[in-house]
């Protein structure tokens, strides 16, 4: 894929919009909030670690953690002290009233204590009845996962979130995905078990550098093997798709707000793709409350197009979803392509994407966004997209469980977003919402790694912070709006596996920087004399599996030179984790929570979801 070069960069003052932080669900987070929260977390951690190491308290907790039952072995870190310290510090600096934050913190702490009490009671019962003792490493893993799950669940329950909607499901298509995921899981477990039992130098070394207990060679091997097999299955599906010429008329919706610096390049790239495609292409530039010359430049460039025709439609109401819905209403073709105004499509993008729609079971098609290059974050962003979009998203296609395809470039059958009520406004993640629900209707989502396009990357810290806080908050907005999938008695992989995993992974990422700080505290203080943490363990948390996945993704996408950006990528992951923490702090905490599992009141909820979250 060869896309036109990007000729400009967005002005620093232009990236904030009404879509950045929806006022009903998020509030501003000052730059000092996260550092202050981490400072309080560090003080609490030091205090509790000192407490469990005092002569009297250490007799009650000989494992130097709040563990109430006998476990065998030792742990890498005092995971329960870590989680409790994080919960208290996070609740203190969360966004809401004093009463709301107090209730939130108490709910987090007491729920975590209760769940760990259940784990310890189970360990005692197993010990008394069957003389079986769990290892402390295993207990630490369970406690850590429990803490991640509780954090996400309580943030959903007590945070201001989009309303639950009814998710319409198509025919049950679980058989093939279940067979595939079961087979892949067994094969990956067997491979991990076989290798982890070997006394190789690498295996022995990995056993010694676990920070969150037990993340050794088995886990390191399981993840690449698991996703690698799914990726292989998905690629076989893509390669065996019957190659046909399918060139129906298409409409391209381009929401544009103050895009004068790039809109001409965007339109020219679309015209080049239309020439390669051969079918009729209409470009709809949705001028969304722009205060610059976006509309004038767009009209002039559209008039000069050789293959595509187009027009500018003014949408005075600010908000990307309002622009998208106005465009969706104006579309007269069977297929619609959504393209962001700062995206330069490749000349073969339309041709490659549309061939999949010859199969009536395909509902959404996307590709891989490539950074333009030259910016502060472009090199690590390249590795990020290769891992996420060029590897994980494709792998999820192997079990028909792609959650979302980014709105930078995505193709739909026009009737699907219309049937679902259009693009939701007033929340983050409107593109994921549509893709997920089309998938639940029973249609496949395809991510083709050969469909590559140039997509803008923030060039400043402040722009990157705004973007990532918006993106990471969307995981909770989508999960709340679509929680009908999670609590429904009709199981789907997206609802019962993928969405819960995404929530738990968001919690893990939000706790990554605090976890490293906690590891440094234990390493420097010697608070854990039985199993002193080593510096390699701390490094392993930030490197480990992410580096392995990045290297694999580079080779799978035929970009081995991208590996040279690995150090920057690993540092970028830490920055991304910090932004995740800030994003979670931006969520508005309510005085009184709400029950997520409450069924939908059919007498007050219409059959078609509202366009406002």
């Amino acid at each position: 894929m060869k896309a036109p070069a990007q000729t400009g960069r967005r002005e620093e003052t232009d990236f904030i919009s009404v879509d950045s932080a929806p006022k009903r669900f998020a509030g501003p987070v000052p730059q000092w909030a996260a550092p202050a929260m981490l400072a309080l977390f560090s003080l609490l951690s030091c205090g509790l670690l000192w407490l469990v190491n005092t002569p009297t308290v250490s007799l009650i907790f000989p494992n130097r953690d709040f563990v109430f039952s006998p476990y065998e072995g030792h742990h890498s870190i005092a995971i329960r002290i870590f989680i409790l310290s994080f919960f208290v510090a996070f609740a203190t600096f969360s966004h809401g009233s004093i009463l709301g934050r107090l209730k939130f913190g108490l709910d987090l702490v007491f729920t975590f204590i209760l769940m760990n009490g259940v784990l310890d009671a189970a360990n005692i019962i197993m010990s008394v009845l069957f003389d079986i003792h769990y290892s402390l490493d295993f207990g630490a893993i369970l406690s850590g996962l429990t803490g991640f799950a509780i954090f996400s669940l309580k943030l959903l329950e007590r945070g201001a979130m989009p309303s639950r909607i009814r998710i319409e499901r198509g025919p049950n298509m679980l058989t093939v995905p279940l067979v595939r995921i079961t087979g892949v899981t067994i094969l990956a477990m067997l491979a991990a078990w076989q290798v982890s039992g070997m006394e190789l130098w690498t295996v022995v070394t990995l056993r010694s550098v676990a920070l969150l207990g037990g993340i050794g060679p088995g886990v390191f091997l399981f993840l690449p093997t698991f996703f690698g097999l799914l990726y292989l299955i998905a690629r076989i599906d893509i390669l065996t798709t019957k190659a046909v010429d399918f060139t129906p008329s298409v409409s391209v919706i381009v929401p544009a707000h103050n895009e004068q610096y790039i809109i001409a390049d965007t339109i020219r790239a679309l015209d080049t793709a239309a020439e390669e495609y051969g079918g009729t292409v209409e470009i709809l530039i949705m001028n969304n409350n722009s205060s610059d010359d976006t509309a004038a430049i767009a009209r002039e460039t559209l008039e000069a197009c050789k293959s595509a025709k187009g027009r500018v439609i003014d949408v005075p109401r600010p908000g990307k979803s309002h622009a998208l819905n106005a465009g969706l209403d104006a579309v007269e073709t069977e297929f619609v392509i959504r393209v962001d105004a700062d995206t330069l499509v490749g000349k073969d993008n339309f041709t490659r994407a549309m061939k999949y729609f010859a199969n009536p079971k395909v509902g959404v098609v996307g590709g891989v966004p490539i950074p333009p290059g030259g910016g502060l974050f472009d090199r690590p962003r390249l590795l990020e997209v290769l891992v996420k979009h060029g590897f994980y998203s494709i792998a999820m296609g192997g079990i028909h469980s792609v959650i979302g395809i980014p709105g930078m470039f995505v193709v739909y059958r026009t009737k699907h977003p219309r049937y679902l009520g259009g693009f939701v406004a007033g929340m983050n993640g409107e593109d994921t919402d549509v893709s997920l629900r089309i998938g639940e209707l029973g249609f496949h989502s395809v991510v083709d790694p050969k469909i590559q396009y140039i997509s803008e990357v923030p060039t400043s810290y402040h722009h990157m912070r705004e973007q990532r806080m918006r993106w990471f908050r969307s995981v909770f907005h989508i999960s709340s709006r679509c929680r009908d999938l999670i609590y429904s008695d009709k199981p789907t992989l997206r609802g019962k596996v993928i969405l819960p995993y995404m929530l738990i992974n968001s919690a893990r990422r939000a706790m990554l920087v605090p976890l490293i700080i906690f590891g440094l505290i234990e390493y420097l203080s010697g608070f854990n004399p039985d199993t002193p943490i080593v510096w390699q363990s701390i490094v392993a948390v930030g490197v480990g599996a992410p580096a392995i996945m990045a290297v694999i993704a580079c080779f799978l996408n035929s970009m081995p030179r991208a590996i040279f950006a690995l150090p920057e990528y690993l540092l970028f992951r830490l920055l991304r984790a910090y932004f995740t923490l800030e994003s979670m702090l931006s969520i508005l905490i309510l005085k009184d929570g709400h029950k997520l599992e409450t069924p939908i009141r059919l007498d007050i909820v219409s059959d078609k979801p509202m366009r406002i979250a």
Side-chain angles (χ1 to χ4, degrees):
M1 187 280 299
K2 185 176 178 59
Q6 185 169 320
T7 60
R9 289 280 189 174
R10 182 185 296 274
E11 293 294 327
E12 288 300 308
T13 57
D14 284 345
F15 58 81
I16 299 294
S17 70
V18 296
D19 301 301
S20 295
K23 293 181 179 179
R24 291 172 55 218
F25 306 127
V29 178
Q31 294 278 358
W32 56 262
M37 181 240 138
L38 292 173
L40 176 60
F41 162 79
S42 300
L43 289 174
L44 290 170
S45 298
C46 290
L48 291 176
L49 286 170
W50 171 83
L51 179 65
V52 297
N53 277 274
T54 58
T56 302
V57 179
S58 63
L59 294 176
I60 304 173
F61 302 111
N63 294 311
R64 291 348 191 248
D65 198 0
F66 295 134
V67 179
F68 296 91
S69 68
Y71 286 89
E72 293 185 346
H74 304 284
H75 57 196
S76 296
I77 66 168
I79 187 65
R80 295 184 181 182
I81 290 178
F82 162 72
I83 295 289
L84 288 172
S85 300
F86 177 84
F87 281 173
V88 173
F90 184 90
T92 301
F93 286 92
S94 57
H95 201 89
S97 66
I98 295 176
L99 181 59
R101 285 180 286 159
L102 178 62
K103 288 183 176 180
F104 177 45
L106 291 174
D107 198 4
L108 285 171
V109 168
F110 283 112
T111 303
F112 184 66
I113 291 174
L114 176 62
M115 293 304 297
N116 280 284
V118 171
L119 293 176
D120 289 348
N123 184 46
I124 293 173
I125 292 172
M126 293 293 290
S127 175
V128 172
L129 296 182
F130 305 104
D131 196 29
I132 297 175
H133 301 272
Y134 296 136
S135 70
L136 196 56
D137 272 347
F138 180 69
I141 292 174
L142 290 181
S143 294
L145 292 175
T146 300
F148 298 158
I150 289 172
F151 177 74
S152 294
L153 178 65
K154 294 305 177 183
L155 200 54
L156 277 175
E157 284 185 346
R158 294 193 169 273
M161 295 288 166
S163 301
R164 176 177 177 174
I165 64 170
R166 181 172 53 241
I167 303 295
E168 183 174 345
R169 298 167 184 81
N172 191 322
M173 301 183 300
L174 269 178
T175 304
V176 172
L178 279 179
V179 169
R180 287 181 173 183
I181 198 171
T182 301
V184 165
T185 300
I186 292 173
L187 289 174
M189 289 178 65
L190 288 174
W193 173 75
Q194 181 69 28
V195 173
S196 62
M198 298 178 179
E199 291 300 321
L200 301 174
W201 176 85
T202 305
V203 175
V204 174
T205 301
L206 284 173
R207 288 197 195 108
S208 67
V209 294
L211 185 56
L212 182 54
I215 303 182
V219 176
F220 272 77
L221 182 61
F222 173 80
L223 291 174
T225 305
F226 177 80
F227 285 105
L229 290 172
L230 288 182
Y231 178 91
L232 179 62
I233 292 172
R235 291 291 288 136
I236 291 173
D237 287 345
I238 292 174
L239 293 173
T240 54
T241 299
K242 186 177 181 181
V244 295
D245 291 329
F246 189 65
T247 57
S249 298
V250 299
S251 298
V252 183
I253 300 176
V254 184
H257 170 70
N258 290 344
E259 308 284 355
Q260 67 175 12
Y261 75 103
I262 197 174
I263 193 65
D265 291 340
T266 301
I267 293 172
R268 283 192 284 265
L270 291 171
D271 188 42
T272 301
E275 181 180 5
E276 176 83 7
Y277 178 60
T280 300
V281 176
E282 181 181 27
I283 303 171
L284 303 177
I285 304 297
M286 312 307 296
N287 180 35
N288 186 209
N289 196 43
S290 296
S291 58
D292 61 5
D293 293 329
T294 295
I297 295 173
R299 289 190 181 95
E300 180 181 350
T301 310
L302 286 171
E303 290 177 0
C305 286
K306 299 177 180 179
S307 300
K309 60 180 181 178
R311 53 195 168 116
V312 175
I313 300 176
D314 290 323
V315 184
R317 187 178 183 182
K320 179 180 282 189
S321 292
H322 300 309
L324 289 169
N325 287 325
L328 187 62
D329 293 340
V331 167
E332 298 177 351
T333 56
E334 184 180 357
F335 299 92
V336 58
I337 302 175
R338 172 186 167 173
V339 175
D340 277 355
D342 55 14
T343 295
L344 307 181
V345 301
K347 67 178 183 180
D348 62 348
N349 284 182
F350 295 171
T351 305
R352 284 187 175 276
M354 292 309 301
K355 70 177 183 179
Y356 291 104
F357 287 97
N359 179 355
K361 293 182 179 180
V362 171
V364 188
V365 175
V368 179
I370 303 298
L376 176 63
F377 299 105
D378 285 35
R379 280 166 53 86
R381 170 60 177 163
L382 176 59
L383 272 177
E384 182 184 48
V385 298
L386 293 181
V387 172
K388 177 175 173 53
H389 301 293
F391 184 49
Y392 284 133
S393 291
I394 295 171
M396 288 296 98
I399 50 175
H400 302 161
S401 295
V402 175
I403 290 288
I405 294 180
M408 302 168 225
F409 174 87
V410 57
V411 189
Y412 312 106
R413 298 180 189 272
T414 307
K415 63 182 180 181
H416 289 158
R418 282 179 175 169
Y419 180 76
L420 294 173
F423 298 91
V424 62
M427 59 171 267
N428 298 130
E430 86 294 327
D431 49 356
T432 300
D433 175 72
V434 167
S435 296
L436 182 154
R437 290 162 59 210
I438 290 175
E440 287 302 303
L441 287 175
F443 296 91
H444 298 328
S445 295
V446 178
V447 179
D448 186 343
K450 297 294 185 182
I451 300 175
Q452 297 180 359
Y453 49 90
I454 305 295
S455 180
E456 181 188 51
V457 177
T459 58
S460 70
Y461 175 88
H462 294 291
H463 189 182
M464 179 61 73
R465 179 178 186 259
E466 179 276 332
Q467 182 195 74
R468 293 316 168 105
M469 289 179 68
R470 170 165 41 92
W471 285 5
F472 299 147
R473 199 165 41 235
S474 71
V475 174
F476 284 82
H477 288 183
I478 294 297
S479 298
S480 178
R481 177 172 163 85
C482 299
R483 61 184 181 271
D484 195 33
L485 287 174
I486 298 175
Y487 292 100
S488 172
D489 57 359
K490 297 179 181 179
T492 68
L493 285 178
R494 289 184 183 89
K496 302 302 183 183
V497 179
I498 310 300
L499 278 179
Y501 168 79
M502 289 173 62
L503 286 168
I504 290 174
N505 190 52
S506 292
R508 176 202 61 81
R509 194 166 58 232
M511 296 187 201
L512 178 59
V513 173
L515 179 62
I516 293 175
I517 292 174
F518 193 86
L520 288 170
I521 290 172
E522 284 212 315
Y523 173 67
L524 296 173
S525 65
F527 276 134
N528 189 359
D530 292 331
T531 311
I533 194 168
V534 295
W535 66 268
Q536 294 96 327
S537 305
I538 302 168
V539 174
V541 171
V543 183
I548 296 174
M549 292 299 193
V551 171
I552 292 173
C554 288
F555 282 101
L556 289 177
N557 287 274
S558 302
M559 293 187 183
R561 294 188 64 180
I563 295 174
F564 292 112
L566 188 58
E568 297 164 73
Y569 170 65
L570 296 174
L571 291 174
F572 180 71
R573 283 179 56 86
L574 291 178
L575 181 62
R576 189 175 67 178
Y578 182 77
F579 289 150
T580 304
L581 177 61
E582 289 193 300
S583 180
M584 302 302 98
L585 286 171
S586 74
I587 293 174
L588 296 177
I589 302 299
L590 305 173
K591 289 184 179 179
D592 297 299
H594 48 90
K595 294 183 178 180
L596 297 175
E597 70 276 12
T598 301
I600 302 170
R601 289 276 305 279
L602 298 182
D603 58 329
I604 62 173
V605 178
S606 63
D607 288 339
K608 294 296 177 62
M610 298 289 290
R611 285 185 172 182
I612 304 295

